[in-house]
Amino acid sequence: MSQGPAGTPDVLVLGGGAAGLSLAYRLVETGVATVTVVEPPDGPARPPERTWCSWDQGDGDFDEAVTATWPLLRVHGPDGSPLTVDPAPSRYRMVRSTAFERLVHARLARSPGGRLLRATADTVRDVPGGAEVRCTAPGGRTLTLRSRYVFDSRPLSALPPARTQLLQHFRGWFVRTRADRFDPAVADLMDFRVPQPRHGLAFGYVLPLAPDRALVEYTEFSRTPLTTTAYEAALGHYAREVLRLGEFTVETAEQGVIPMTDARFPRRAGAAVFRIGTAGGATRPATGYTFAAVQRQSRAIAAALRAGRGTVPPAPHGRRALAMDAVLLRALDTGRIDGPAFFTGLFRRTPTQRLLRFLDGATSVREEWGIGLRTPVGPMLRTALEVPFLPRRTHPAPGTGESPP
């Protein structure tokens, strides 16, 4: 695919988060399209550093940006009993947004078809032969950009109507302990030894970076986020009373909200304008995992452009996965199933590789049927019969209520 007239790129990517940068990386690596990434300039419009985790399938993608990997996974049930599983050949890995930005920005700088533009995208519209984006550059100057296609990863101002909407909201501390307290080989995905909220579920999450360093998070699946003060109290209790870390210091903190919704996310915003990432439905409704789906989406877009097709990006998750997630979200929201017992049971009774495929939405019908039989059949069946008749309603857009320091 060739560069357009007067240097016009084939593709404009709006937003420099996981989805936008992953697509830009894929396009410049394969050389199928010229691309300009439009990122907000330094300042309040740029999000703080974030952490993205996914299962490493051994493809070596983004190895330079990987902060840590863990060969073993562990879940602590509500009764305190641990379950450690080996997901080989997969490994759980952490990518920090700053390292990922560095990697992709360097690839863009080395590529004759890549460009990074620091500006705020304001409006996007279709024009003959493609799309037009009006931006504000640092200093207030207005820029008008054109391209054959626009892929927009910016957060939606409001989520589409949904039958059920929960939020995965969390705050994490990067801690350093005085004594060695962590096993760098084991990631604690869900630790239910924390007080449970009246509505939804809560768990701890520990990613060791060294024997004396780790990311320690408190996470809830519920309808509304907490205040920073409440997160701090929950984290303090988890670190001191449950993990018994002893003396430690908090080096940095991160805080966020991820929508868990059965809303239908439109993947097209115009004839030549497409949505990607969470805005394009890449977040798995029942787990909040996004990074792996973003990689599938990016590869599919690159393949479509290589074949000369300007088609809508494929759905990041299949219809069966979304239907199952809609049932699970409703069952959690109504309290028909016990969240900690449900997730602990999945890890105890499902082969690890099959469970990881399920969490990523890559299981077969037969595998999903087997997993379904290991869940509370009565409540799940009742919910499955109810969901198709529930109205879709507009819910408040997710927000933390307070900005993390």
Side-chain angles (χ1 to χ4, degrees), residues 5 11 59 101 111 120 158 164 169 186 252 275 291 299 302 321 348 356 377 391:
V11 170
D59 51 19
E101 287 174 5
S111 169
T120 301
T164 306
H169 51 99
V186 184
T252 58
R275 297 197 181 278
F291 198 77
R299 292 188 188 98
R348 289 192 185 283
L356 298 189
V377 175

Side-chain angles (χ1 to χ4, degrees), residues 55 147 174 247 316 337 373 400:
W55 322 110
S147 65
F174 284 86
E247 186 177 337
I337 62 171
L373 293 176
T400 61

Side-chain angles (χ1 to χ4, degrees), residues 29-54:
E29 283 294 284
T30 57
V32 300
T34 55
V35 57
T36 295
V37 178
V38 181
E39 287 187 13
D42 292 335
R46 288 185 67 80
E49 188 172 22
R50 291 141 290 158
T51 299
W52 302 315
C53 291
S54 63

